[in-house]
Amino acid sequence: MDDAAMEAPATAGPAVGELLARGRARLEAAGCDTPRLDAELLLGEALGVSRARLVLDRDENVPSADVERFERLLLRREAREPVAYILGRRDFRRLTLNVDRRVLIPRPETELLVEVGLELPAAASVIDVATGSGAVALALKDERPDLSVRGTDLSPDAIEVARANGARLGLEVEFAVADLLDGAVADAVLANLPYVPSGEPLEPEIALYEPARALFAGAGGLDLVRRLVGEVAGSPGVALLGLEVDPRQASEVVALMRDAGLEEVEVRRDLAGSERAVVGRR
Ligand SMILES: C[S@@+](CC[C@H](N)C(=O)[O-])C[C@H]1O[C@@H](n2cnc3c(N)ncnc32)[C@H](O)[C@@H]1O
């Protein structure tokens, strides 16, 4: 809100607090998980102010153009579109990534894969297979500039998003279209592959809006994991493979890696304590 808007008389439109309460109630009725937070993020976006500012401005009246902007955002969220797509961005570690429906919205648990990469020796080379928005590759380069990082994805649309994120953030990561490793070699391979079993019911935010190609991987969800483990097993130059998994799949992925000849296979837990990544070495 600009100063002129803040000085408008009380009759100019509903107050910030009232709009938040209405938004929250509507999102709750629509079945959203975090209606209060979402209403704050959307109103903040409509007014171009932070969430903290909304608290301070609770009693200020909102100009009708901003009320209409908020209404448009609210309608999208009521249709269960994820907030990250509505805002067009998502924070991941120290970065803010631009996201849209061409890419999966990066999840907090995927930060674990970045932590695996942070342990690599100086100047190691890494491929982030199935990079999507470029989240893992870009966060790794941001926090370990000495690493040589490449991001690949089967989807040309995803690579376009990842390249744009890299250019905007000024991070030197090479992005390319590829089907899994496609013969490439690096010291380490990290991947958050699609791992949802086909046909598994998902929340509307995911099922209706996120790209199916980023989610599903065969009846057990492990088709792509199995293929990538096989490719790494046949590529002696790769010293480390780190995969994000559904916690229900962790023990099966451990067995797959061991059967493929990888050693020191270990499971890593995310901040919620779930078995979220499997790491193998040779
Ligand atoms: C679960 S998303 C992960 C995106 C990103 N790494 C993240 O964590 O936010 C999986 C990605 O795998 C890509 N993908 C699907 N099949 C692939 C394949 N055969 N080779 C490479 N990438 C693939 C999808 O396009 C999608 O971007």
Side-chain angles (χ1 to χ4, degrees):
M1 267 181 291
D2 57 25
D3 289 347
M6 306 283 274
E7 285 159 16
T11 52
V16 165
E18 190 185 333
L19 280 177
L20 279 178
R22 276 195 224 161
R24 178 188 176 165
R26 279 173 56 179
L27 295 183
E28 202 160 12
C32 299
D33 263 0
T34 52
R36 178 180 171 175
L37 172 66
D38 295 359
E40 288 175 1
L41 289 167
L42 298 181
L43 187 57
E45 181 75 5
L47 303 183
V49 301
S50 67
R51 282 173 61 211
R53 186 77 221 172
L54 293 178
V55 176
L56 298 172
D57 290 349
R58 269 200 92 70
D59 298 325
E60 300 295 337
N61 295 101
V62 177
S64 59
D66 289 346
V67 175
E68 281 162 25
R69 200 171 307 135
F70 179 51
E71 174 64 22
R72 285 195 294 274
L73 302 181
L74 213 47
L75 283 171
R76 289 173 67 179
R77 186 68 191 111
E78 280 185 302
R80 303 294 293 271
E81 184 171 349
V83 171
Y85 287 152
I86 299 174
L87 302 183
R89 58 183 186 273
R90 175 60 161 247
D91 291 341
F92 185 78
R93 291 190 71 89
R94 306 193 307 200
L95 306 176
T96 299
L97 298 163
N98 286 347
V99 292
D100 59 38
R101 290 180 64 178
R102 292 173 292 174
V103 291
L104 187 100
I105 299 163
R107 309 294 205 263
E109 57 268 26
T110 302
E111 299 197 1
L112 192 56
L113 267 192
V114 179
E115 284 164 23
V116 171
L118 292 179
E119 297 164 11
L120 290 168
S125 57
V126 191
I127 303 179
D128 169 26
V129 170
T131 194
S133 62
V136 172
L138 292 168
L140 207 48
K141 187 68 184 175
D142 175 50
E143 294 176 46
R144 282 285 306 276
D146 62 295
L147 298 177
S148 158
V149 186
R150 190 176 151 82
T152 62
D153 201 289
L154 187 62
S155 156
D157 279 345
I159 289 302
E160 213 174 287
V161 174
R163 275 197 190 124
N165 275 320
R168 185 177 49 80
L169 295 164
L171 291 166
E172 265 186 54
V173 173
E174 191 196 334
F175 288 106
V177 174
D179 183 2
L180 299 183
L181 273 185
D182 249 351
V185 180
D187 299 319
V189 171
L190 301 175
N192 175 20
L193 294 166
Y195 55 66
V196 180
S198 305
E200 182 158 299
L202 297 168
E203 288 169 10
E205 279 82 354
I206 305 174
L208 298 177
Y209 293 94
E210 298 204 272
R213 161 166 56 185
L215 301 169
F216 301 107
L222 288 178
D223 286 6
L224 286 166
V225 166
R226 212 170 272 118
R227 264 183 64 205
L228 183 60
V229 169
E231 288 187 12
V232 167
S235 180
V238 178
L240 180 143
L241 171 63
L243 296 177
E244 178 172 321
V245 296
D246 181 316
R248 293 169 297 177
Q249 301 165 335
S251 56
E252 198 173 343
V253 176
V254 167
L256 279 174
M257 283 201 196
R258 287 198 177 125
D259 290 349
L262 293 178
E263 293 166 4
E264 298 172 46
V265 179
E266 52 165 327
V267 173
R268 301 278 181 101
R269 290 179 186 270
D270 62 20
L271 287 174
S274 304
E275 296 187 330
R276 187 57 72 177
V278 180
V279 181
R281 294 180 175 75
R282 82 164 112 229

